[in-house]
Amino acid sequence: MQSLVISIMGKDKPGLVDSLAKCVYKHQGNWQGSSFAHMVSMFTGFVEVHVDEDEKQNLIDALDGITDLSVQSVAVASSTDAHATTLTVDVMGNDKTGIVQELTSVLNQFNLNILTFASHCESAPNWGSLIFKAKAEIGVPEDFDDDALQGALEALANDLVVDITAKR
């Protein structure tokens, strides 16, 4: 079996994921996992599929033929890159330009790998401004100092609330 990572993007409308799923099924692909999102009338996401080596190119060609979607696929070797420890980092504070860059810069300074990252802004009740919220899952070494990371993130702004939860 060959692992294939498929990314998609297109103007959102009903049936996009179904078109992708039918294509994968038709070529005997096994849908391993996926993540999709809707943002500003666009639909995007990615899927990991396992497919027999002799069906891989047929599946790739069929994916390229799906209308209404921009599709890219990359064959990858199976990964056993499981982190012994992951941290979930929840961040909330007043929205400002550059906040994502500041957060990711701190994570990079600690040489941490971002496994997932999701963020959004929402109206702050009674304040009339936007609140920034982010959630990241990061892979860390077993002996990582969570407190040092929390301190570095909280030092970015006096209104930033950071909650770190370890999954060992």
Side-chain angles (χ1 to χ4, degrees), residues 10 12 29 32 34 40 46 48 52 55 60 73 81 96-97 99 102 123 125-126 131 143 148-149 152 154-155 168:
D12 193 23
Q32 295 296 299
S34 58
V40 193
F46 57 93
E48 178 188 359
D52 286 330
E55 251 327 288
I60 291 170
S73 56
D81 183 30
K96 65 178 182 171
T97 301
I99 192 166
E102 291 173 353
S123 180
N126 303 322
I131 294 290
D143 59 348
L149 176 61
E154 288 176 344
R168 300 188 197 283

Side-chain angles (χ1 to χ4, degrees), residues 4-9 63-64 70-74:
L4 196 62
V5 175
I6 304 162
S7 67
I8 66 165
M9 180 180 279
L63 291 168
D64 289 340
S70 170
V71 180
Q72 291 185 321
S73 56
V74 177

Side-chain angles (χ1 to χ4, degrees), residues 95-166:
D95 185 42
K96 65 178 182 171
T97 301
I99 192 166
V100 172
Q101 181 277 319
E102 291 173 353
L103 293 170
T104 58
S105 180
V106 168
L107 296 176
N108 188 44
Q109 288 168 13
F110 282 86
N111 198 30
L112 300 175
N113 188 26
I114 299 172
L115 305 173
T116 63
F117 183 88
S119 66
H120 68 278
C121 292
E122 59 187 50
S123 180
N126 303 322
W127 290 93
S129 61
L130 291 177
I131 294 290
F132 172 82
K133 292 185 177 182
K135 183 174 199 160
E137 185 175 324
I138 55 176
V140 300
E142 235 177 271
D143 59 348
F144 184 73
D145 183 0
D146 305 3
D147 293 334
L149 176 61
Q150 181 146 359
L153 290 170
E154 288 176 344
L156 293 174
N158 62 1
D159 68 336
L160 207 58
V161 177
V162 178
D163 182 40
I164 298 178
T165 309

Side-chain angles (χ1 to χ4, degrees), residues 1-6 20-34 46-60 63 73-80:
M1 287 292 222
Q2 173 78 49
S3 287
L4 196 62
V5 175
I6 304 162
L20 182 63
K22 284 179 179 172
C23 187
V24 169
Y25 177 76
K26 181 179 177 185
H27 295 281
Q28 293 86 43
N30 187 4
W31 192 292
Q32 295 296 299
S34 58
F46 57 93
V47 179
E48 178 188 359
V49 172
H50 289 175
V51 64
D52 286 330
E53 187 65 41
D54 60 338
E55 251 327 288
K56 179 181 79 170
Q57 192 57 51
N58 293 334
L59 175 56
I60 291 170
L63 291 168
S73 56
V74 177
V76 294
S78 295
S79 174
T80 58

